[in-house]
Amino acid sequence: MAKHLRTYALFFQSLFVLPMAYGEVEQWDWVPRASLTAQQQADLNRYCQGSYVNRWQATNVTGTQLTADLIFRDAQGVTHLKGDANILQPESALSANSIEGVPEEYYFANQNVALRTNDQLIRSSSGYISSNSSTTEFKDAAFLSHSSGARGEAQLLSSNQEGVIFIEDGFFTTCEPNEESWKLYGSSIKLDTVSGFGTAKHIQIYIANVPVFYFPWLRFPIDDRRQSGFLFPSFGFSSKDGVSVSAPVYWNIAENYDATITPHFIQEKGEGIDLEFRHLSSFGQTLYEQSTFSDNLEGEQTLLKLTTEQRFNKHFNAGFLLEDNPTDDKYPEANSTSIGEKDHYQRSLYVGFNNGNFLNTVTYLTYQTPDKAIDQPFEWRPRIASSYRLTSNYFDYDINAQYTDFYDPAEDNFDGQRRVLNQNAKLTLSNAWGRIDAGILAQYRGYDLYNYKTAAEGTASVGHLTHYLDTSIAFERRIGQRNQPWRQTLEPRISYLNAPYEDQDEIPNFDASEPTLTYSQAFNHIRFNGNDRIGDTEQVTLGVESRLYDENNNERWAFKAGQIFYLEDRYVGITGNTNQNAAIDDAKRSDLLTSASYNSRRYSLTGNVNYDPNNNEINVAQVIASLSPKDDIKINLSYLYSINNTQSDDDAKQASIGSIFPLNQNWSIYTQYTYDFLRKDATKEVVGFGYENCCLKVSLSYQDWLNDSNRYDRGIFLQFILRSLSSAGRGNSEANIANTYWNQGNVGY
């Protein structure tokens, strides 16, 4: 008997990843929130109305103890326990109105049957427990796992010695006894605790007592082991596309590789299928993805992606990425893979060798550009890069070498080979109140070029030395009351940078770009990104930073302000000729770069302003605020003003407000409105409702937005999560307040 009860308890421990409801809440060891201790209430999420409290108590019993109002043994050797019958063992307890049986062989319990273990509770009208036969049965059974909150009910609950559990006409749920938002019903459920999976016939999922899914047959895991089977589908509806359904299937092929197959159907568009195949070796992972959709008007639309990353030992690693659009710039209407619509699809291969501070990589990179009207990027055939760094308390030396064979796929402009050598040597003196960095940056560029327009070959090179000196001083003081002092820091910074002019008329632009000027960028030692143009400048940068820390050493306020003062005009730009007699920028000072931020538990604010004193105008203004005056309320505000950019397409002037407000304990409403002052039109409008309790989360929203193709799109999106079971529905990949409410399905916002 003892052995059998332990086996039975372990079986139900595996089963209760699942939940159910039975009878009155009192029988579930359920305690309302108000009756819990302060610590127990703190452990609950705010939507749960109570908790299961396990009434199992360990005892000093070493064998089997029988108690009842009347105990006797008949002539056949059957022991009878009448009235308040109990069989107590070290790891389990069986109770009923009456129990009869032969010790160590079987017991039959009748009326108000309860079997308890450390984390499990089973109640039934009658039960048969056998130690030497193949079957254990409970009729009209209800079962509970205290730790997971999984509970269920079945007309017949049985198990055999192989660890297989049978549930006839049963259901399960993780919802609380007083609020059953979802249940999973099955006419016949078989749970194999040895293999770790279950099968069920005629499965129905009820939400708020309304059936929403039906499966004639379903296979599902009951532990952490991967199992093949159906995943929950996604669905949607719109007046334009009609009904849309995606039904993924997971295939556990072997221990180290698996696949997910997702068929799609869109009523007015067509049908398609996605494939994700994963393989795990002792060196790394390989992933293959394919999305194919047969559009009623455009025909086949396909995207492919193959990725692998392998590390052979602590020194060598390799990998490749293959992306492809074989269907002439057409993109699948339905796509659940990580492959999206792009201008250029990458194909690359790399091999790396690393040994401490010595890093080496060889990369071969090409692109596919489906739209022939778009210029194709330069390809690397190949790029070889090496770097080494030597550091100590006072000296830092960094050297980077790179060789790239650039190829122009269109062969209509120029390409060639580039050799790069960058060396940075820095001497540092620092202590608790200050720091001085003095350094030299040596840069070399060498080119072998070919011009397709003139069929001419040429060479070019440039060598350059940059000198810099960075200094900072740190001040600190205590402010506020003695018992709760705050701490304020003040850090003035001065940087001198001298990058002399070098003629770069013959230097091409393979990958140079101009960074956005920010406070941090103002203290950088190079003007351009990339390894082509070397920016000339002689400048002094002044900056100051101040921070306020509360009594718990949390940063509350941060202020930054800085400005560059140019001692020489700049003659080198991203492209074009360089002429020391024709400055491309003769401003004597940069914008005044300012930033401020505030953080607390309920409020956060970040503001950045770039003010141009030469023209008395603001070029950049950005404000982002997040407000939560109460736990259930969220308000997000943002404003961006960015004018006079190098590319006019980068100019922006827009404001957005998003909010989440509770209507009651469970219902919320969320809205977002984004307005573009340059377009003079709204670019995003969202309104939705959300419902959440301890076991269910649902959101329904209407969204109207400007998509990446500069066209307006709209849709209705429904998503819900059955906690501890699965999620279903469809969301919008466009970032918006609905994503904030959904919060990856987590409790709360």
Side-chain angles (χ1 to χ4, degrees):
M1 174 63 182
K3 176 182 177 182
H4 186 82
L5 288 181
R6 285 194 295 270
T7 303
Y8 195 75
L10 289 175
F11 143 65
F12 274 100
Q13 191 169 2
S14 300
L15 169 63
F16 289 122
V17 211
L18 310 173
M20 302 215 177
Y22 178 77
E24 302 297 327
V25 296
E26 288 79 7
Q27 73 171 344
W28 288 121
D29 298 344
W30 177 260
V31 178
R33 177 186 284 268
S35 301
L36 295 173
T37 66
Q39 182 59 48
Q40 289 172 328
Q41 292 185 35
D43 292 338
L44 284 179
N45 82 60
R46 67 173 180 265
Y47 293 102
C48 293
Q49 303 305 310
S51 178
Y52 300 105
V53 176
N54 191 359
R55 293 190 172 92
W56 163 259
Q57 292 182 351
T59 66
N60 296 324
V61 174
T62 57
T64 300
Q65 177 178 307
L66 307 180
T67 63
D69 294 340
L70 175 64
I71 302 177
F72 65 92
R73 180 179 298 174
D74 62 21
Q76 287 74 35
V78 177
T79 301
H80 297 264
L81 288 75
K82 301 290 187 179
D84 194 18
N86 293 275
I87 300 178
L88 186 63
Q89 295 176 333
E91 297 180 4
S92 64
L94 176 66
S95 64
N97 286 3
S98 64
I99 302 174
E100 62 181 42
V102 177
E104 307 304 327
E105 291 186 12
Y106 75 89
Y107 284 103
F108 178 79
N110 192 32
Q111 296 184 359
N112 297 321
V113 179
L115 173 64
R116 285 186 180 275
T117 65
N118 185 36
D119 187 46
Q120 311 296 333
L121 170 63
I122 303 170
R123 296 185 184 276
S124 69
S125 60
S126 64
Y128 176 80
I129 302 174
S130 172
S131 297
N132 53 18
S133 69
S134 59
T135 303
T136 296
E137 292 183 349
F138 288 91
K139 293 182 179 180
D140 301 323
F143 42 90
L144 166 70
S145 169
H146 294 88
S147 60
S148 67
R151 58 191 177 88
E153 181 178 323
Q155 289 189 6
L156 181 63
L157 185 67
S158 62
S159 69
N160 60 27
Q161 289 182 334
E162 285 72 41
V164 178
I165 314 305
F166 301 92
I167 301 173
E168 295 184 15
D169 294 326
F171 71 86
F172 52 82
T173 183
T174 51
C175 297
E176 299 172 316
N178 55 357
E179 189 171 3
E180 295 172 353
S181 298
W182 70 265
K183 296 180 182 179
L184 194 153
Y185 287 87
S187 64
S188 176
I189 302 174
K190 176 183 176 182
L191 305 171
D192 190 333
T193 59
V194 176
S195 63
F197 70 89
T199 57
K201 297 179 180 179
H202 303 297
I203 287 294
Q204 300 178 69
I205 296 179
Y206 278 68
I207 297 179
N209 293 321
V210 177
V212 295
F213 289 114
Y214 169 78
F215 302 96
W217 183 85
L218 187 68
R219 175 185 168 111
F220 53 91
I222 61 174
D223 55 25
D224 293 336
R225 285 174 286 184
R226 305 195 320 267
Q227 301 291 341
S228 299
F230 289 96
L231 304 178
F232 277 83
S234 300
F235 56 88
F237 175 81
S238 72
S239 58
K240 178 182 177 182
D241 296 336
V243 176
S244 61
V245 179
S246 300
V249 179
Y250 176 75
W251 183 14
N252 183 33
I253 304 171
E255 185 180 90
N256 62 328
Y257 51 97
D258 58 16
T260 303
I261 305 166
T262 307
H264 300 286
F265 171 77
I266 302 178
Q267 184 178 3
E268 301 299 330
K269 291 285 188 177
E271 55 280 327
I273 190 167
D274 293 347
L275 172 65
E276 179 190 83
F277 177 86
R278 301 185 302 175
H279 178 267
L280 184 65
S281 71
S282 57
F283 302 114
Q285 179 173 298
T286 300
L287 173 65
Y288 174 76
E289 297 176 275
Q290 176 176 329
S291 178
T292 299
F293 191 84
S294 179
D295 190 276
N296 296 335
L297 298 178
E298 296 185 0
E300 182 178 314
Q301 307 162 336
T302 297
L303 291 175
L304 308 171
K305 184 177 180 180
L306 177 62
T307 310
T308 186
E309 295 181 353
Q310 308 291 323
R311 177 168 292 279
F312 304 106
N313 54 40
K314 66 178 182 179
H315 300 299
F316 288 97
N317 64 302
F320 66 80
L321 169 63
L322 171 63
E323 297 177 329
D324 190 60
N325 180 341
T327 49
D328 297 329
D329 203 21
K330 292 187 289 188
Y331 309 95
E333 184 71 24
N335 183 353
S336 61
T337 69
S338 67
I339 327 168
E341 180 179 342
K342 298 181 180 180
D343 290 335
H344 311 288
Y345 290 92
Q346 183 176 329
R347 291 93 176 269
S348 62
L349 169 68
Y350 74 89
V351 178
F353 171 76
N354 304 318
N355 187 12
N357 291 341
F358 185 40
L359 310 178
N360 304 271
T361 306
V362 178
T363 307
Y364 190 89
L365 171 66
T366 64
Y367 294 94
Q368 180 209 16
T369 303
D371 187 350
K372 306 306 179 185
I374 299 178
D375 289 339
Q376 297 173 271
F378 286 107
E379 298 178 348
W380 306 346
R381 298 191 175 186
R383 167 172 288 183
I384 304 172
S386 296
S387 66
Y388 179 77
R389 186 172 185 180
L390 177 65
T391 61
S392 68
N393 292 334
Y394 302 101
F395 184 71
D396 191 336
Y397 175 71
D398 190 5
I399 180 171
N400 293 272
Q402 185 187 94
Y403 167 83
T404 308
D405 186 353
F406 290 100
Y407 172 67
D408 177 13
E411 296 186 348
D412 60 0
N413 198 353
F414 70 93
D415 57 22
Q417 297 82 44
R418 182 185 69 189
R419 299 170 299 279
V420 174
L421 183 64
N422 295 325
Q423 301 177 80
N424 188 10
K426 180 174 64 175
L427 180 65
T428 300
L429 301 175
S430 65
N431 56 26
W433 53 265
R435 180 185 181 96
I436 298 177
D437 293 326
I440 299 176
L441 175 61
Q443 302 175 80
Y444 170 79
R445 314 283 187 264
Y447 298 86
D448 295 318
L449 303 172
Y450 180 79
N451 191 316
Y452 288 97
K453 296 178 180 178
T454 62
E457 296 181 355
T459 61
S461 64
V462 60
H464 191 275
L465 285 179
T466 297
H467 306 83
Y468 61 87
L469 180 67
D470 299 331
T471 64
S472 63
I473 301 176
F475 299 96
E476 182 177 313
R477 66 168 182 166
R478 301 281 178 171
I479 60 175
Q481 301 176 357
R482 291 184 179 180
N483 57 343
Q484 291 184 332
W486 282 34
R487 181 167 59 92
Q488 181 186 14
T489 64
L490 182 67
E491 184 179 352
R493 298 180 62 182
I494 301 177
S495 175
Y496 171 75
L497 175 64
N498 185 4
Y501 167 81
E502 291 287 346
D503 186 291
Q504 297 173 49
D505 283 351
E506 304 299 325
I507 302 300
N509 179 12
F510 286 116
D511 57 14
S513 63
E514 191 166 3
T516 301
L517 187 58
T518 62
Y519 177 84
S520 298
Q521 177 64 29
F523 291 90
N524 209 336
H525 302 137
I526 56 175
R527 281 181 51 211
F528 302 126
N529 295 326
N531 277 321
D532 285 316
R533 291 299 178 101
I534 301 175
D536 62 318
T537 186
E538 186 178 4
Q539 65 187 49
V540 174
T541 303
L542 303 181
V544 62
E545 301 178 22
S546 181
R547 291 177 171 82
L548 282 173
Y549 299 87
D550 64 16
E551 65 277 6
N552 297 317
N553 207 35
N554 298 315
E555 182 183 301
R556 289 296 188 89
W557 285 96
F559 303 94
K560 299 177 183 179
Q563 191 171 21
I564 303 174
F565 295 88
Y566 299 104
L567 308 180
E568 296 286 346
D569 295 339
R570 278 74 63 211
Y571 302 95
V572 179
I574 291 291
T575 59
N577 294 333
T578 59
N579 187 340
Q580 200 166 10
N581 296 318
I584 64 162
D585 188 351
D586 59 0
K588 299 303 181 185
R589 53 185 174 174
S590 71
D591 290 353
L592 178 60
L593 312 170
T594 63
S595 175
S597 63
Y598 170 77
N599 291 283
S600 71
R601 189 173 72 88
R602 295 196 177 277
Y603 304 97
S604 67
L605 174 68
T606 300
N608 301 293
V609 176
N610 289 3
Y611 171 73
D612 181 1
N614 300 314
N615 298 309
N616 194 27
E617 62 183 10
I618 293 176
N619 288 330
V620 174
Q622 182 183 37
V623 178
I624 301 174
S626 178
L627 315 175
S628 182
K630 299 184 68 175
D631 287 342
D632 300 337
I633 297 177
K634 286 192 177 296
I635 303 173
N636 298 325
L637 305 170
S638 66
Y639 176 77
L640 174 62
Y641 175 92
S642 180
I643 305 296
N644 299 326
N645 291 285
T646 305
Q647 300 291 332
S648 60
D649 291 343
D650 295 334
D651 288 351
K653 187 179 180 182
Q654 64 180 28
S656 180
I657 178 171
S659 62
I660 303 174
F661 283 95
L663 301 177
N664 56 31
Q665 171 67 20
N666 303 103
W667 285 92
S668 298
I669 184 173
Y670 53 86
T671 63
Q672 181 176 353
Y673 184 79
T674 302
Y675 187 82
D676 192 311
F677 295 94
L678 299 180
R679 294 180 60 94
K680 298 182 179 179
D681 197 3
T683 59
K684 190 176 297 181
E685 297 176 86
V686 178
V687 61
F689 290 91
Y691 175 84
E692 185 168 5
N693 63 25
C694 198
C695 67
L696 178 72
K697 186 166 187 172
V698 183
S699 72
L700 175 67
S701 64
Y702 170 81
Q703 303 178 27
D704 191 323
W705 72 97
L706 187 69
N707 61 28
D708 293 337
S709 301
N710 206 32
R711 297 178 181 177
Y712 281 94
D713 203 351
R714 59 183 56 86
I716 296 176
F717 299 90
L718 172 66
Q719 289 179 278
F720 58 86
I721 278 187
L722 314 180
R723 301 203 193 282
S724 300
L725 184 62
S726 186
S727 62
R730 184 179 176 185
N732 188 1
S733 59
E734 179 78 13
N736 55 58
I737 194 69
N739 304 121
T740 304
Y741 171 80
W742 195 244
N743 192 29
Q744 291 79 50
N746 294 332
V747 172
Y749 307 132

